[in-house]
Amino acid sequence: MAEEGQLAALVAACHWIGSRGWCPATGGNMSIRDGEQRCLISESGKDKGSLRAEDFLAVDIASNRVDDVRTPSAETGLHTLIYRSHPAVGAVLHTHSVNATVLSRIEPGPALHLSGYEMQKSLAGVSSHLTPLAIAIFDNDQDISALAAQVAGRNQRDPLRFGFLVRGHGLYCWGRDVQEARRHVEGLEFLFQCELQRRVLEAR
Ligand SMILES: [Zn+2]
């Protein structure tokens, strides 16, 4: 079973994310690891700001199999990939914020490079604003298996840390538990807003 309190913490994180406007119109999806073989992921089509504990359903991490009459998020394959690739990850949060959506379209390259921000230290293992950060960006694809294959390939060459962006779509981010994943979402969203404003002002 999921560690006691993690599902309640995930529900609270979903309500907080909803209140920040980062998952409009039922967008986004959230999960926690539930033992070695399963994760609990939000049901498809639910408003993230008003999710309840019973709106999460179990999915097999290895096979994506669901023993439930309900349908999990359409992007379940990305969550299970993250749990398979990173055994220490305990929670995955996926948001559709304006800043992540716009910045990932403005940046044409395969990564968003950030440096010089004190708030980089909100990310696990980063101890200085001078540590260069590269947040991978993947082109959006409605074929989640194809998108997951892209993410898996990049992760094998250069292991992903904290999260990645999907172009014109949003942010995937994770942590060893809900609390760390939530701090990563907040830190990254802050950095995205700063970077977007910096680029807009410098372009004037
Ligand atoms: Zn999405």
Side-chain angles (χ1 to χ4, degrees):
M1 288 299 291
E3 192 183 322
E4 198 174 331
Q6 281 294 290
L7 185 54
L10 180 62
V11 169
C14 290
H15 295 176
W16 167 73
I17 284 168
S19 74
R20 301 295 299 262
W22 292 340
C23 278
T26 76
N29 32 76
M30 318 291 166
S31 68
I32 49 172
R33 191 186 287 277
D34 181 29
E36 286 186 11
Q37 283 154 14
R38 304 192 314 171
C39 65
L40 298 175
I41 189 162
S42 46
E43 185 181 353
S44 180
K46 293 265 179 173
D47 172 43
K48 303 306 165 296
S50 53
L51 281 179
R52 304 159 302 163
E54 50 267 40
D55 293 325
F56 292 83
L57 51 150
V59 176
D60 186 275
I61 289 171
S63 66
N64 289 333
R65 215 181 88 177
V66 185
D67 286 324
D68 201 298
V69 292
R70 298 172 295 169
T71 306
S73 159
E75 296 173 44
T76 293
L78 287 170
H79 288 251
T80 53
L81 168 68
I82 293 163
Y83 290 121
R84 284 197 303 277
S85 311
H86 301 277
V89 168
V92 178
L93 304 175
H94 169 49
T95 51
H96 287 186
S97 73
V98 171
N99 289 328
T101 300
V102 174
L103 192 54
S104 61
R105 294 194 67 181
I106 287 177
E107 171 54 61
L112 175 71
H113 295 275
L114 299 169
S115 182
Y117 294 110
E118 177 69 11
M119 277 294 284
Q120 289 171 222
K121 289 160 59 183
S122 64
L123 304 171
V126 179
S127 57
S128 169
H129 64 293
L130 297 175
T131 304
L133 272 185
I135 308 294
I137 306 178
F138 297 92
D139 287 335
N140 198 16
D141 195 325
Q142 298 305 319
D143 181 342
I144 295 301
S145 299
L147 183 54
Q150 293 283 329
V151 175
R154 177 102 64 106
N155 185 63
Q156 272 198 337
R157 295 192 299 277
D158 186 12
L160 298 163
R161 300 166 71 199
F162 329 115
F164 58 83
L165 286 160
V166 184
R167 191 162 274 120
H169 179 157
L171 167 70
Y172 270 86
C173 107
W174 54 82
R176 62 181 183 273
D177 53 22
V178 172
Q179 288 76 4
E180 186 175 84
R182 182 172 165 156
R183 194 183 79 231
H184 286 167
V185 168
E186 191 165 30
L188 286 167
E189 289 289 352
F190 177 92
L191 291 167
F192 296 160
Q193 186 161 1
C194 290
E195 183 64 12
L196 188 56
Q197 287 187 15
R198 188 186 71 77
R199 291 188 184 200
V200 168
L201 290 169
E202 284 191 0
R204 281 186 180 171

